[in-house]
Amino acid sequence: MALDSDTGPLGGLPDLDRLLPELAARFAASADAHDRDASFPFENFTALHDAGLLALTAPADLGGGGADLATALRIVQAVARGEAATALVLVMQYLFLGAPDALGAWPDGLKARVAGEAARDGALINALRVEPDLGTPARGGLPATIARRTAEGWRLSGRKIYSTGCPALTWMVVWARTDEAEPRVGNFLARRDAPGWRIEETWDHTGLRASGSHDVVFEETPIPLDHALGPQAPGGPPDIDRKYALWAPVLTSAIYDAVARAARDWFVGWLMDRKPANLGASLSTLPRFQELIGAIDGLLLQNRVLLTAAAEGRLALAEGAMVKHLVTENAIAAVEKAIAATGNPGLSRHNPLQRHYRDVLCGRVHTPQADMVLTAAGKAAFASAAKREQR
């Protein structure tokens, strides 16, 4: 059954107060099945498209909703409370539609085409960057994927791993280097209907099992000339898109905050329903469990304050990475407290708490990782102290 968004994908902001609880409940109902067989939740993206949410962050002049970070945050959290892998794919969609310049120099017509297809057809986009030998590009290095120049444009060859959402992507932003005498590095935009590429279903992960993060292999895949998004000589200072630099850590960590909230709600319900015979009342009447829920809610309150402040622009851009780290660690700690207190029921596949725990641990994988965040913060502190001493 399709959702009625009241406005549709091209008619402005949908009625989120009505839509989001319905979507979260629908996604939660099928989350366990998708987790068990690691199947991609295609129907969730049909529902998001029907609700007019897939192109919400694309600029309004390109056919999108022009939504701000606070609105995107609200939607991502609702979706993640239902099914976390769906939310991860949606975050990538929102980032690359809302801040496409973070990917490179786009021809105006191509940018409009991608946004228009997202609004009209529900087309999804994500960046494919990680490789078997390189690991995460955030740690440096050059991609092994090669873009070979031809008379018609480019031919792309290489393997990408952890290609989140690839079963449903229309557009794949592939990080590669050129085969020129002095190679350039950048992103190349491949469309799903191009020949010469395939998915190898390698994703068998502990968490986010429904994300479809398989390997994608390109073998002389033709890329139009204007689909090279401004590749540059390696080694230069990276171009920092200010919008992406803030949105990425906020929306990514919001997924795991929402997972922790779903875990907390299940735990509260379990404590209220669980009535041991020797107690004669529910576990929720015991002070130690009341204190535990208070501790979990304290962690989640910290997350809400951090995410709200960031979404409203009340934090410095450089603090976005620390927000991601703190929110993620608080979310993991909150779920771990529930897991420790429930014992066997919390680890049973019959209950969702173990799935929430496996999902929330994935928050540590996303860039920037904890060591990078904390090292950068430490360097900044020492640099600031050194400047004060020089005055």
Side-chain angles (χ1 to χ4, degrees):
M1 181 181 69
L3 290 170
D4 178 10
S5 67
D6 293 338
T7 61
L10 299 177
L13 290 178
D15 180 3
L16 298 180
D17 289 337
R18 182 180 61 82
L19 280 173
L20 294 183
E22 182 179 349
L23 286 169
R26 177 185 295 192
F27 297 167
S30 60
D32 180 66
H34 284 300
D35 175 73
R36 283 180 179 271
D37 57 16
S39 57
F40 190 81
F42 290 98
E43 71 280 6
N44 290 359
F45 293 93
T46 299
L48 289 168
H49 176 51
D50 290 344
L53 297 180
L54 286 184
L56 212 61
T57 62
D61 60 356
L62 297 180
D68 60 10
L69 178 54
T71 302
L73 173 63
R74 181 182 175 193
I75 296 167
V76 166
Q77 288 187 303
V79 172
R81 286 183 81 139
E83 204 286 300
T86 300
L88 178 59
V89 177
L90 183 63
V91 165
M92 300 301 109
Q93 177 87 344
Y94 280 178
L95 291 176
F96 298 129
L97 290 182
D101 293 337
L103 298 172
W106 292 65
D108 289 340
L110 184 58
K111 192 184 299 185
R113 180 185 176 190
V114 170
E117 288 187 3
R120 183 181 63 252
D121 306 323
L124 298 176
I125 184 172
N126 196 7
L128 278 54
R129 295 177 58 83
V130 186
E131 296 182 345
D133 295 330
L134 180 64
T136 173
R139 303 284 179 171
L142 295 177
T145 301
I146 299 295
R148 181 174 62 84
R149 188 74 168 84
T150 68
E152 297 79 21
W154 302 90
R155 293 274 176 169
L156 201 63
S157 296
R159 177 183 290 267
K160 296 296 181 180
I161 61 176
Y162 306 142
S163 303
T164 295
C166 65
L169 296 180
T170 296
W171 295 100
M172 297 169 283
V173 186
V174 185
W175 189 55
R177 58 175 167 174
T178 67
D179 67 340
E180 298 159 319
E182 295 184 2
R184 293 176 293 155
V185 177
N187 289 310
F188 294 79
L189 192 61
R191 201 174 189 279
R192 187 174 194 86
D193 56 6
W197 72 279
R198 69 182 187 276
I199 294 173
E200 292 188 0
E201 295 189 355
T202 54
W203 182 247
D204 188 15
H205 210 267
T206 297
L208 296 178
R209 289 176 52 75
S211 65
S213 300
H214 303 297
D215 289 13
V216 175
V217 180
F218 298 93
E219 295 174 329
E220 291 286 293
T221 307
I223 306 293
L225 184 62
D226 66 350
H227 285 38
L229 306 182
Q232 303 290 326
D239 293 329
I240 298 176
D241 184 281
R242 293 182 62 83
K243 184 175 183 180
Y244 181 89
L246 176 61
W247 283 46
V250 170
L251 294 183
T252 302
S253 59
I255 298 170
Y256 303 101
D257 172 69
V259 170
R261 291 177 187 279
R264 177 263 186 204
D265 289 350
W266 180 87
F267 184 38
V268 167
W270 183 80
L271 290 173
M272 294 178 69
D273 293 340
R274 181 91 165 168
K275 297 177 180 178
N278 61 341
L279 180 62
S282 72
L283 292 178
S284 63
T285 63
L286 296 178
R288 74 182 185 95
F289 287 115
Q290 295 165 355
E291 179 183 6
L292 181 57
I293 292 297
I296 290 172
D297 282 357
L299 292 168
L300 298 180
L301 174 60
Q302 294 175 43
N303 282 1
R304 177 164 61 83
V305 170
L306 286 168
L307 290 170
T308 300
E312 293 177 351
R314 291 188 279 114
L315 296 179
L317 183 65
E319 293 173 321
M322 186 62 80
V323 168
K324 184 265 179 184
H325 169 67
L326 294 173
V327 168
T328 299
E329 292 302 319
N330 283 348
I332 292 171
V335 182
E336 284 180 337
K337 288 179 182 295
I339 283 283
T342 53
N344 280 329
L347 294 174
S348 170
R349 292 296 297 264
H350 297 292
N351 294 319
L353 187 58
Q354 47 77 32
R355 169 166 50 84
H356 296 320
Y357 185 49
R358 290 184 285 108
D359 285 346
V360 80
L361 289 174
C362 295
R364 288 176 172 154
V365 174
H366 301 294
T367 301
Q369 286 91 21
D371 65 308
M372 299 177 70
V373 173
L374 298 176
T375 299
K379 287 181 177 179
F382 288 124
S384 178
K387 285 184 179 180
R388 287 196 301 269
E389 290 181 355
Q390 292 174 358
R391 292 173 184 163

